Amino acid sequence: MNHDFDVLTAARSWRVERAEVPTPAEVVSEVFARDVLTLEQLKARLSKPAYRSLRATVEQGEPLNPAIADEVALAMKTWAMERGATHYTHWFQPLTGSTAEKHDAFVSPNGDGLAIAAFSGKELIQAEPDASSFPSGGLRATFEARGYTAWDPSSPAFIMRHSNGATLCIPTAFASWTGEALDLKTPLLRSGEALNKAVAPALHLFGASVGTRVVSTVGAEQEYFLVAEEYYFRRPDLVMTGRTLFGARPPRGQELEDHYFGAIPDRVLSFMTDAELQLYALGIPVKTRHNEVAPGQFEIAPIFEPSNVAADHQQLLMQVLSNTARKYGLVALMHEKPFAGVNGSGKHCNWSMSTDAGENLLEPGDTPHENLQFLFFCAAVLKAVDEHQDLLRVSVAGASNDHRLGANEAPPAILSIFLGSELTDILDRIESGEGGRGPEAGLLGLGSSVLPPIPRHAGDRNRTSPFAFTGNKFEFRAVGSSQSISFPVTVLNTIVADAVQILTADLEARLARGLGLDAAVGELVRETYAAHKRIVFNGDGYSEEWQREAQARGLLNLRTSVDAIERLCDEKNVRLFERFGVLSERELAARQEILFDIYFKTVNIEGETTESVAQTMILPAAVSYLGDLARAGGSRAVRATAAEVEAATDELYDALQTLREQNRALGGDTVHEKAHHMRDAVLPAMAGVRQAADRLEKLVADAHWPLPSYRQMLFVK
Ligand code: ADP
Ligand code: MG
């Protein structure tokens, strides 16, 4: 095999099959949301009463009136067919973390050979996919395997295009017939409601008008790698597991840091422009794009949106990136750690709360009154994160993210909050009650005449924190690049709802005792900060000292996902989710089961793939090279090389025997036991095989080596 040939093919194989027009500004405004069934679109197509009723559902969260379903369905179908859609699908997010769709044709042949278009209100509102293969964590017995999808009118329907047609996608929730959530969207919607119910009364105390609604807002920054498909398909590990299970470090990695924010190569830029155009058509407001730290790594970020829409859009974004890359002879890798030794990929989840009037509740204000409210919600977030470190850690659990968290390039598995020096300073001063008590003492009744105004958009360039205040929002950075943001956001919404509810009751009690709002909030913030400030850490999260200090502070350090998943169903968490109606105990237990199961299966597939690649590709390469050396005669250089290759080959062989045993063992009957076995026995055995194989890669002649190298995959563009 001549692998230089691969390099050239890879470099040349990109092509633009359908020359899409680039995106000058005027085109964007024309294209934006072209394939989205917006309320505006519906207004033109529905009767006034039907439109009003639907709008109340979308904007006020009122129950959907089934009487309008037929009319809405007809409008949807007409709109979609005018845009070339031939099929529709209920689009949902099963517990695998990806999306699912089953297409039905609008037009179906009838007995006379004529085509009729069928899509009624019934089919819009509810469908029953043959979904028995989706994980249910025991929520469905196999004899009752049915689940149904139900329309979520709060996320607009859209058209997904492919090279030869288009499909109307209707965002839906997925549940069992007993009403239990089998998806990621249902609890996300419930958590949004919980947050609204908890925060609205608090806002009321700060003078907001009755009827103010609150939503959480999310903007998720997506990191990903691009590799030439020529290489990708020659790497069974990438194809099977999404990451390289072998690969010696190249002489040059990201040391030069010349890739970060560097000029984007033409091929990549063309791909990005194409993908963005499609994302705009889907109404996804992508805004920034740039090179990331590692060679071959990139980022795309949208403007924030209400969290349930943002979660749907995030799934679509990953799908569009993946599909579009192929048009350019590239494959987009969403895995958290596709390449050992270079940075992994995250999905920074920017989170805040907003009123329906668009007021950002985490935006420090210009007036003392606004700052009072800001400090109240800020304190609530501190309390929430400190009390529920375990839940935030579980929300980012997964075998792939474990390679990234704590790997000195991504935040550690310890949860802490970066507040920045200014805000920390203000809270410290509030806590100590420091400051003048003179006549001007205004803000918080704690001597605000000496308190500096809270800086707006205080820059945070500390990338080492898993949870950072970035001026007017919190950025949850531990979220993995391949995962759905739904569960992390569900957890955030719920834990903040919990903290806000407790603090609101506390505030009401203080007000009832006759304290003024300033003084009451001042006391509350002081006490809350004192109780939870151990969670605040502004230093270097990658450092060894932090590991020790965090332990001294009593913070959790759930190093592996298995440790984290084990906490999910703790009493505290069951009570929390049940109290807010976000997840029942059974639903939570099902999720725990599925998380263990996915962890186990992920590592199991990696273990099997490592074994087969090592046995059938790497070992033969080493042996055939040894044959070459034997034929080359007995010069000193040949003998020495052969001895080295032989030693590494034996090492590979031995490591392979160990891995084979561990792969066969599985480790127990429950998914929990199996997950332990994968973590404690299979992963170390895989590492042993990799070590020997990577050593061989540096010894065996290039022409014999069966896998594209890191050097090729990361640097040939
Ligand atoms: P930074 O420079 O800190 O990364 P940006 O303004 O570039 O900040 O925003 C990063 C991401 O945060 C974007 O996706 C943006 O839409 C999102 N974001 C900004 N404000 C909010 C908010 N109030 N709620 C949620 N996400 C937000
Ligand atoms: Mg950011």
Side-chain angles (χ1 to χ4, degrees):
M1 221 186 309
N2 180 345
H3 293 292
D4 286 342
F5 173 72
D6 288 349
V7 181
L8 288 180
T9 316
R12 286 174 182 157
S13 72
W14 77 292
R15 68 262 164 204
V16 185
E17 269 154 4
R18 200 175 309 252
E20 302 270 6
V21 193
T23 56
E26 47 306 348
V27 180
V28 174
S29 62
E30 224 171 81
V31 166
F32 195 77
R34 189 181 59 191
D35 285 341
V36 183
L37 185 50
T38 56
L39 272 179
E40 198 72 7
Q41 290 278 354
L42 280 165
K43 188 175 183 181
R45 289 162 189 268
L46 292 175
S47 68
K48 274 214 174 82
Y51 173 71
R52 238 182 283 124
S53 163
L54 184 65
R55 203 175 131 177
T57 299
V58 173
E59 288 178 355
Q60 309 299 322
E62 281 176 23
L64 180 76
N65 173 5
I68 65 165
D70 276 331
E71 196 182 328
V72 177
L74 182 64
M76 264 190 186
K77 182 177 76 176
T78 315
W79 173 83
M81 288 181 76
E82 280 168 16
R83 276 156 188 75
T86 54
H87 290 68
Y88 71 92
T89 181
H90 276 201
W91 185 81
F92 59 102
Q93 302 177 25
L95 293 169
T96 53
S98 56
T99 55
E101 44 194 82
K102 174 194 167 208
H103 298 191
D104 279 296
F106 281 130
V107 174
S108 42
N110 68 9
D112 302 328
L114 296 172
I116 49 141
F119 180 64
S120 68
K122 207 173 108 255
E123 283 148 318
L124 163 64
I125 290 188
Q126 198 164 305
E128 189 187 332
D130 176 19
S132 48
S133 296
F134 290 112
S136 78
L139 283 178
R140 274 176 330 204
T142 27
F143 62 84
E144 232 313 1
R146 294 182 307 164
Y148 70 94
T149 51
W151 181 34
D152 164 22
S154 67
S155 182
F158 57 91
I159 289 175
M160 222 21 197
R161 297 186 182 279
H162 53 88
S163 301
N164 294 318
T167 305
L168 170 67
C169 296
I170 303 160
T172 55
F174 178 43
S176 75
W177 285 102
T178 47
E180 277 150 332
L182 294 173
D183 66 349
L184 293 168
K185 165 169 278 204
T186 306
L188 176 61
L189 290 170
R190 293 174 183 160
S191 73
E193 209 30 57
L195 188 74
N196 175 48
K197 286 218 177 90
V199 176
L203 275 181
H204 200 60
L205 296 181
F206 288 98
S209 54
V210 188
T212 300
R213 284 185 63 81
V214 175
V215 294
S216 63
T217 50
V218 170
E221 305 165 52
Q222 173 78 47
E223 294 177 336
Y224 62 98
F225 280 84
L226 290 173
V227 292
E229 58 183 8
E230 174 78 10
Y231 296 144
Y232 176 84
F233 288 106
R234 288 180 193 279
R235 298 261 342 190
D237 48 359
L238 273 183
V239 175
M240 290 295 114
T241 73
R243 73 175 175 115
T244 54
L245 300 169
F246 301 95
R249 313 287 151 90
R252 179 181 140 195
Q254 59 199 48
E255 298 78 11
L256 298 176
E257 293 180 344
D258 53 349
H259 180 69
Y260 190 51
F261 276 35
I264 304 175
D266 184 43
R267 177 184 189 174
V268 174
L269 201 50
S270 303
F271 147 76
M272 286 175 167
T273 310
D274 191 337
E276 282 162 12
L277 198 63
Q278 298 171 60
L279 291 167
Y280 289 144
L282 288 166
I284 301 174
V286 285
K287 194 182 75 162
T288 58
R289 59 183 178 202
H290 59 79
N291 291 355
E292 260 303 323
V293 175
Q297 193 186 27
F298 305 90
E299 180 184 300
I300 181 167
I303 294 170
F304 68 92
E305 300 179 281
S307 55
N308 69 321
V309 176
D312 281 354
H313 281 173
Q314 225 295 308
Q315 295 299 116
L316 282 175
L317 182 137
M318 289 195 284
Q319 194 178 338
V320 168
L321 290 183
S322 299
N323 288 344
T324 310
R326 296 296 305 280
K327 289 207 280 181
Y328 295 83
L330 298 165
V331 176
L333 305 177
M334 301 294 161
H335 195 282
E336 282 75 3
K337 193 77 175 179
F339 303 99
V342 288
N343 271 15
S345 301
K347 179 142 46 200
H348 297 174
C349 225
N350 296 270
W351 180 94
S352 187
M353 297 172 278
S354 166
T355 66
D356 47 358
E359 184 194 355
N360 178 357
L361 303 183
L362 292 174
E363 174 90 53
D366 294 322
T367 65
H369 178 80
E370 285 168 345
N371 277 339
L372 213 56
Q373 183 182 308
F374 164 75
L375 287 171
F376 175 84
F377 288 115
C378 209
V381 175
L382 293 185
K383 178 177 166 68
V385 174
D386 186 31
E387 287 177 351
H388 301 290
Q389 299 160 43
D390 54 343
L391 280 179
L392 286 169
R393 177 64 183 90
V394 192
S395 79
V396 300
S400 50
N401 211 13
D402 279 1
H403 299 290
R404 172 180 163 260
L405 296 181
N408 264 359
E409 41 145 299
I414 306 164
L415 257 299
S416 66
I417 300 183
F418 173 93
L419 280 184
S421 53
E422 291 107 325
L423 189 51
T424 307
D425 187 47
I426 287 165
L427 287 167
D428 282 340
R429 289 159 73 170
I430 292 173
E431 190 197 3
S432 66
E434 182 190 309
R437 286 175 219 285
E440 300 136 299
L443 174 63
L444 309 183
L446 291 166
S448 71
S449 54
V450 296
L451 282 183
I454 296 174
R456 306 182 71 149
H457 300 265
D460 146 49
R461 291 297 160 235
N462 178 340
R463 316 301 291 176
T464 68
S465 174
F467 201 91
F469 181 67
T470 51
N472 58 357
K473 61 191 182 284
F474 282 93
E475 184 170 336
F476 188 17
R477 297 196 181 119
V479 182
S481 53
S482 70
Q483 74 173 109
S484 157
I485 62 170
S486 293
F487 193 50
V489 175
T490 299
V491 167
L492 266 171
N493 288 348
T494 310
I495 65 179
V496 174
D498 182 47
V500 168
Q501 200 177 62
I502 294 167
L503 293 187
T504 305
D506 192 330
L507 183 57
E508 277 168 342
R510 286 173 210 261
L511 294 174
R513 286 205 310 271
L515 275 182
L517 187 65
D518 282 20
V521 175
E523 275 185 19
L524 194 65
V525 169
R526 175 169 47 195
E527 287 170 23
T528 308
Y529 180 62
H532 297 290
K533 71 176 183 183
R534 65 170 185 167
I535 198 74
V536 176
F537 177 62
N538 294 326
D540 180 2
Y542 297 171
S543 67
E544 276 295 315
E545 297 100 272
W546 172 231
Q547 303 273 334
R548 281 192 297 276
E549 160 141 15
Q551 192 177 14
R553 291 189 190 188
L555 298 179
L556 274 181
N557 188 357
L558 302 172
R559 295 179 57 87
T560 71
S561 288
V562 177
D563 300 322
I565 299 165
E566 278 164 356
R567 303 279 183 131
L568 183 58
C569 294
D570 286 359
E571 179 75 32
K572 155 182 98 69
N573 298 334
V574 172
R575 259 189 287 121
L576 172 76
F577 283 118
E578 288 210 320
R579 191 151 60 81
F580 285 94
V582 172
L583 287 166
S584 69
E585 183 165 11
R586 260 167 65 84
E587 287 172 326
L588 201 61
R591 273 154 183 77
Q592 184 179 46
E593 179 91 356
I594 290 166
L595 283 169
F596 277 134
D597 190 49
I598 293 176
Y599 180 93
F600 145 64
K601 285 180 178 148
T602 304
V603 182
N604 184 224
I605 291 168
E606 290 184 347
E608 301 275 352
T609 307
T610 302
E611 183 185 325
S612 97
V613 171
Q615 179 72 44
T616 65
M617 297 175 82
I618 295 175
L619 194 62
V623 169
S624 95
Y625 182 49
L626 278 173
D628 272 13
L629 289 170
R631 278 187 294 278
S635 84
R636 196 157 51 82
V638 171
R639 269 182 291 141
T641 308
E644 238 185 305
V645 175
E646 228 172 72
T649 310
D650 286 347
E651 187 190 322
L652 177 70
Y653 179 79
D654 294 341
L656 203 45
Q657 304 321 307
T658 309
L659 177 60
R660 184 170 290 139
E661 275 163 36
Q662 299 306 342
N663 277 345
R664 298 299 163 274
L666 288 183
D669 293 329
T670 66
V671 285
H672 187 180
E673 289 163 335
K674 288 176 185 166
H676 268 269
H677 176 72
M678 293 299 138
R679 182 191 65 185
D680 300 333
V682 174
L683 282 175
M686 283 166 57
V689 171
R690 177 172 190 157
Q691 198 181 2
D694 289 358
R695 217 174 113 206
L696 278 169
E697 186 181 339
K698 292 188 162 170
L699 295 170
V700 170
D702 207 24
H704 283 268
W705 199 252
L707 298 168
S709 67
Y710 272 32
R711 170 171 51 82
Q712 293 166 329
M713 288 185 288
L714 290 170
F715 291 98
V716 177
K717 290 275 137 35

